[in-house]
Structures are given as C-alpha cells and as structure tokens.
Amino acid sequence: MYVTDIYVSKQNYGLVGVGFTFTVLAVLFVLLRIITRLWLVKGMGFDDGFIIISAFGTLAFLVAVMQQVRYGLGDPPNPQLLSPFIQATVASVISYTICHITVKLSISIQCLRIFATPAARRIFIGFIIFFSVYGTLCLCLTIMTCWPVAKYWDDSIPGKCLDNRAMRYAFAGINIVNDILLLIAPMPFLQGLNIQRRVKFVLMGVFAAGGVSVPIPDRPVKGIDIAIWSGLECNIAIICACIPSLKPLSSRAFPGLVGSFANSSKHPSNGRYPHDSGHNYDNITHNSHGHNDSTHDTGKRGINVQQSFEMKTTTGSEDNDSEKNLVTGHTAAYQSQIYSSTHVGSPADGRWANHSRG
C-alpha cells in the first residue's frame, strides 16, 4: 500500500490508519473550537492559541512518523537509511514535545477560567508556570541533545551528546506524574460546578480520557506501538481539551438535546428538588390542619408558614459563553414567617380578626 509516494508495509497498516484517523479528528475538534470561539463567543483566549499550536504539533508528528515509515520503521535497521530515519525520529520527538506541552498549558488555562475559587487559581497558576518552564527545558534539550545538532544522526561530526536514553526516561517519568496530577487536579472542583450530576460525570470522563500517557524511548527503530500510542496520547488530549469549549456550538446545533439536560433538573429526585433546579417557591402556604382558617373552631389556632426561596440557576441551553464561571455559590435566601390566628369576638356576632405576629 502506498500513501502518496511512501510505501507502507503491512505491519504499519495499523499505525497509518490510527494516526490519520485520530489526527483528522483532533484537527476537526480544534476547527470546531475556533468556529465556536469566533462565531458564538466572539473572543479568543490564550488556551485557544495553545490548542492551535498543539494541532500543528500533532500534524507535524504525523508527517514525521510517515517519514519514519518511509525509511523503514519496524524493519531491521538499514545503515544506508539510518541517518534520515534518525532525523525523522528527532522531528517526531520535537513535534510530540510541542504538542504535549501546549495541550497541557491549554487545559491548565481553561481550568483557571472555569474554576474560579482561590484554591483552584493557585493550583492552576502553578501548573501554568511549571509547564511553561518545564516545557521550554524539554524542548531545548530535545533539540540540542547533541551539539552540534547534526551529530545526533552523524557520529562522524565532532562534538558532544547527552545521555539520550537517561534523558528520555527521565522525561517520561516526569510526564507521567504531570499527567496524573493534571488528571486529578480538577476532580475536587468538579463537585462544586453548578451543573447537573450527569453532566459532572461526563466532564469527569472527559478529564479521565485525557490521562492516556505513553513514554517515548530514545530511538523507536522498532517502536511501531510507541508511535501509535504517542499519537493517540496527543490527539486524545487535544479532543478532550476542546470538548468543554464546544458547549455553545452544541447548544445551537442540538438545542433539544442540551435542553433535555437542563429540563431534567426541573424534576424532583427522591422527593426533593436540587438547589439549582430553577424552581421558585413563592407564597407556599401550609396549614396545620389542611383547612381554611374560616373553618376552625373558636379555641383552635391556625399557623401559616410562608417560605420564599431565591435561587441562582444556570440554564445550559442559554449559556453561550464558555468563559462563564461555572463554580458559583448556591445563593439561597430562606425566609420563614409564622402567622398565628387568634379569635377575637364571638361566633354569635360573626366578627373575626387576624393578628399577625412576625
């Protein structure tokens, strides 16, 4: 099989198929995110800029992997093709590093916007600073593993090289820790989102899906699986980073579906309405005996309880701003007044008077 002028052996069919499929999906999600931000939200943020860079990174990774396929990825090393193969490998590692770091920065900035509590801001600002410094270091060391750079694929050039194997495994270990921390960091704050429980579970699944991580060894000469999983890691992370930003577009394209999520909050669960259900209880009157005051006997007292709830709610189908803070304090003002009815006069003269006591 040929892809343009590149011969693809049967052992690389899976790599090419998975690579093209998920790269196209990732780029499609990024395009939908840009359309949403420009057309509906009418504003772009730094997180959108980083996700665009990550899209170019995953495209470059696919191109570099296809060059590795051209020069014998998965086959026994050919001395005549070793130099261009290593160049393609270096290009794939550089593009992977760019995609890996920029998508993490995009997610961190997006979380900083969504979770507006002081604790969340401290955590995600720390992530942004760390990923910026760490990502710059990784990129510089990846490019300048050898000095001069060409010595990486041409040992005849005088110069020095770092211990590539040790550096790659060190980066892999740190990346795994970063992935785990970025995966679990939003989970406690998701509990405070002013959205339905089912939507919270969906968001948790989105963040969990972004936790796919595979370390890259020094030279994937026989690493078809490494190339597959590295591409999947970048592309799935991009898709997961874009999903929360597509809510305004999904509300416009599928108003019935989004509206059903919002309306489901209007039905009681276990006999109780959630605080963000959107129900307003005004002037609810409960009589102690379930009858009108005029039917009470002379010596009996009726008690009326008036409850007024003021609740702050968000309606999913009306929210077309992905920058809106979802973490809001449930503002509920509960007022209760007890009115006691006392009998003044006698039933004979037909006179009743109600005195209200606050």
Side-chain angles (χ1 to χ4, degrees), residues 33 37 43-54 102-103 105-111 113-114 241 245 322-323:
R33 174 172 177 162
R37 301 288 291 175
M44 297 279 287
F46 285 108
D47 52 336
D48 303 304
F50 280 117
I51 208 67
I52 292 172
I53 296 174
S54 68
T102 53
V103 74
L105 284 170
S106 178
I107 293 174
S108 299
I109 296 172
Q110 191 174 49
C111 289
R113 175 185 297 131
I114 294 175
S245 299
S322 64
E323 297 187 9

Side-chain angles (χ1 to χ4, degrees), residues 58-206:
T58 192
L59 284 172
F61 178 81
L62 179 62
V63 171
V65 168
M66 291 305 299
Q67 292 303 310
Q68 289 178 277
V69 173
R70 180 197 295 272
Y71 297 117
L73 177 63
D75 298 330
N78 184 342
Q80 295 180 347
L81 300 177
L82 187 59
S83 180
F85 178 84
I86 295 177
Q87 292 180 41
T89 301
V90 173
S92 69
V93 175
I94 292 173
S95 57
Y96 168 87
T97 302
I98 293 173
C99 179
H100 194 258
I101 295 300
T102 53
V103 74
K104 280 181 168 57
L105 284 170
S106 178
I107 293 174
S108 299
I109 296 172
Q110 191 174 49
C111 289
L112 181 64
R113 175 185 297 131
I114 294 175
F115 306 110
T117 61
R121 292 187 65 82
R122 287 193 295 269
I123 291 174
F124 291 110
I125 288 175
F127 275 142
I128 293 169
I129 295 173
F130 173 76
F131 289 142
S132 299
V133 176
Y134 172 72
T136 302
L137 177 63
C138 286
L139 185 59
C140 291
L141 290 178
T142 299
I143 296 173
M144 296 182 291
T145 301
C146 294
W147 189 259
V149 176
K151 183 174 175 55
Y152 196 146
W153 54 83
D154 188 355
D155 286 336
S156 63
I157 298 177
K160 294 183 179 180
C161 291
L162 299 175
D163 188 342
N164 193 47
R165 179 181 296 272
M167 185 176 65
R168 294 300 167 200
Y169 277 110
F171 286 163
I174 296 174
N175 288 338
I176 291 174
V177 174
N178 293 341
D179 291 341
I180 294 174
L181 291 177
L182 190 58
L183 170 65
I184 64 176
M187 296 302 179
F189 304 107
L190 285 172
Q191 298 296 326
L193 288 180
N194 195 21
I195 55 178
Q196 283 297 297
R197 181 177 298 178
R198 71 179 71 178
V199 182
K200 291 181 183 180
F201 290 154
V202 171
L203 286 176
M204 289 182 180
V206 169

